[in-house]
């Protein structure tokens, strides 16, 4: 059984709109099981934050996230990061249905995926997340985050800005690598092994997820449709 992660920068707001439509099952991309209620999922909702009315409205929630923290997005910089954090479905199925909302391992996977992202992206970085339970596959959480860092402005003042490169650079340093791909995989595997199950191995089991829209090929196709460039030889959308 494996623990794996994929990621890509969010380069425009249209991508968030597309992801919101997908989360609400309005785009026809998902293969909903015949016995499932479309849209069934574990959905992130920040505590004590009523202004986040819809956990699947990623575009609006990013705007609220930036407003809440008086944060800015630098010109031509990525808006945030879309992570696909998962484990082998067989691990979830050991305690019940892969698609059960109350399966403790679905809940644990979702909670630990969020906790892990916050360890390197920041405690106030997540603006959306869900774990779909209405498709044939499962055991993969979609997490949307915008890491915030204070930096000097040309005016001489300091301001808070979104920077996925700084967040990933810190992660790379802690794992002794210059590769975002390696750092993300190693970090999530170490966290999952400790927090979920020591039997989980580090890996990238695309076929085991059984979720076609979450495969690398399908993910790149969707990114391209939204005018997002993902390097063909950098499977996680990052240069070293």
């Amino acid at each position: 059984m494996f623990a794996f992660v994929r990621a890509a920068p969010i380069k425009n707001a249209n991508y968030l709109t597309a992801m919101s439509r997908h989360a609400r099952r309005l785009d026809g991309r998902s293969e909903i099981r015949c016995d499932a209620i479309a849209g069934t999922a574990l959905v992130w909702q920040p505590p004590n934050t009523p202004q986040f009315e819809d956990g699947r409205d990623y575009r609006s929630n990013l705007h609220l996230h930036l407003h809440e923290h008086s944060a800015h997005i630098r010109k031509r910089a990525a808006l945030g990061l879309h992570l696909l954090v998962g484990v082998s479905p067989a691990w979830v199925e050991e305690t019940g249905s892969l698609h059960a909302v109350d399966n403790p391992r679905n809940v644990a996977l979702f909670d630990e995926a969020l906790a892990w992202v916050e360890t390197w992206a920041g405690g106030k970085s997540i603006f959306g997340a869900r774990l779909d339970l209405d498709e044939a596959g499962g055991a993969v959480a979609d997490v949307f985050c915008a890491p915030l860092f204070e930096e000097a402005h040309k005016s001489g003042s300091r301001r808070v800005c979104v920077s996925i490169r700084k967040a990933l650079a810190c992660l790379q340093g802690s794992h002794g690598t210059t590769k975002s791909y390696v750092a993300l995989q190693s970090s999530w595997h170490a966290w999952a092994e400790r927090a979920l199950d020591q039997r989980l191995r580090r890996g990238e089991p695309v076929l085991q997820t059984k979720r076609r829209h979450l495969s690398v090929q399908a993910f790149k196709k969707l990114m391209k449709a939204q005018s997002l460039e993902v390097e063909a030889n950098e499977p996680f959308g990052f240069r070293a």
Side-chain angles (χ1 to χ4, degrees):
M1 294 185 289
F2 295 88
F4 56 93
V5 60
R6 299 180 185 83
I10 301 166
K11 293 189 176 179
N12 61 49
N14 288 339
Y15 179 74
L16 292 175
T17 298
M19 288 296 95
S20 293
R21 286 181 53 79
H22 176 67
R24 294 165 175 160
R25 302 311 191 223
L26 300 175
D27 60 355
R29 292 181 182 274
S30 301
E31 294 185 352
I32 308 302
R33 302 189 327 277
C34 61
D35 61 339
I37 298 175
T40 301
L42 299 177
V43 180
W44 172 86
Q45 189 73 24
N48 304 317
T49 314
Q51 64 266 36
F52 285 82
E53 296 179 356
D54 184 350
R56 303 182 216 222
D57 187 351
Y58 306 126
R59 185 168 182 166
S60 294
N61 287 350
L62 174 59
H63 178 76
L64 290 168
H65 174 70
L66 297 174
H67 178 75
E68 180 182 3
H69 301 292
S70 300
H72 304 267
I73 297 176
R74 290 176 283 105
K75 188 175 182 180
R76 291 188 294 275
L79 309 185
L81 193 63
H82 181 186
L83 297 135
L84 309 176
V85 187
V87 298
S88 298
W91 181 78
V92 174
E93 292 174 324
E94 286 184 344
T95 59
S97 169
L98 179 62
H99 310 115
V101 174
D102 58 353
N103 185 328
R105 289 199 173 172
N106 274 327
V107 176
L109 169 59
F110 191 54
D111 289 345
E112 294 302 334
L114 297 177
W116 167 69
V117 170
E118 290 186 336
T119 62
W120 55 269
K124 298 180 179 180
S125 59
I126 295 172
F127 63 90
R130 73 180 193 282
L131 194 155
D132 292 328
L133 299 169
D134 57 356
E135 298 176 312
V140 178
D142 287 66
V143 183
F144 300 84
C145 71
L148 303 178
F149 291 85
E150 188 177 88
E151 58 183 38
H153 187 254
K154 61 183 179 181
S155 65
S157 62
R158 300 189 67 82
R159 66 177 185 175
V160 177
C161 293
V162 174
S163 179
I164 62 173
R165 289 195 177 275
K166 286 186 178 180
L168 290 171
C170 293
L171 189 62
Q172 291 164 11
S174 65
H175 286 273
T177 179
T178 59
K179 301 288 187 181
S180 302
Y181 163 85
V182 175
L184 284 165
Q185 289 285 2
S186 297
S187 180
W188 167 237
H189 168 251
W191 184 275
E193 185 181 42
R194 181 176 65 255
L196 295 176
D197 196 317
Q198 63 182 2
R199 295 175 298 163
L200 292 170
R201 292 188 291 159
R202 183 184 187 282
E204 188 185 352
V206 175
L207 296 179
Q208 290 190 30
T209 67
K210 305 298 183 184
R211 295 182 62 180
R212 292 174 53 195
H213 73 283
L214 290 180
S215 71
V216 173
Q217 182 180 7
F219 193 48
K220 287 182 179 179
K221 184 177 180 180
L222 180 58
M223 299 274 289
K224 184 177 180 180
Q226 297 301 321
S227 300
L228 300 175
E229 297 178 0
V230 177
E231 298 295 330
N233 59 353
E234 290 286 341
F236 285 73
F238 298 107
R239 296 180 182 274

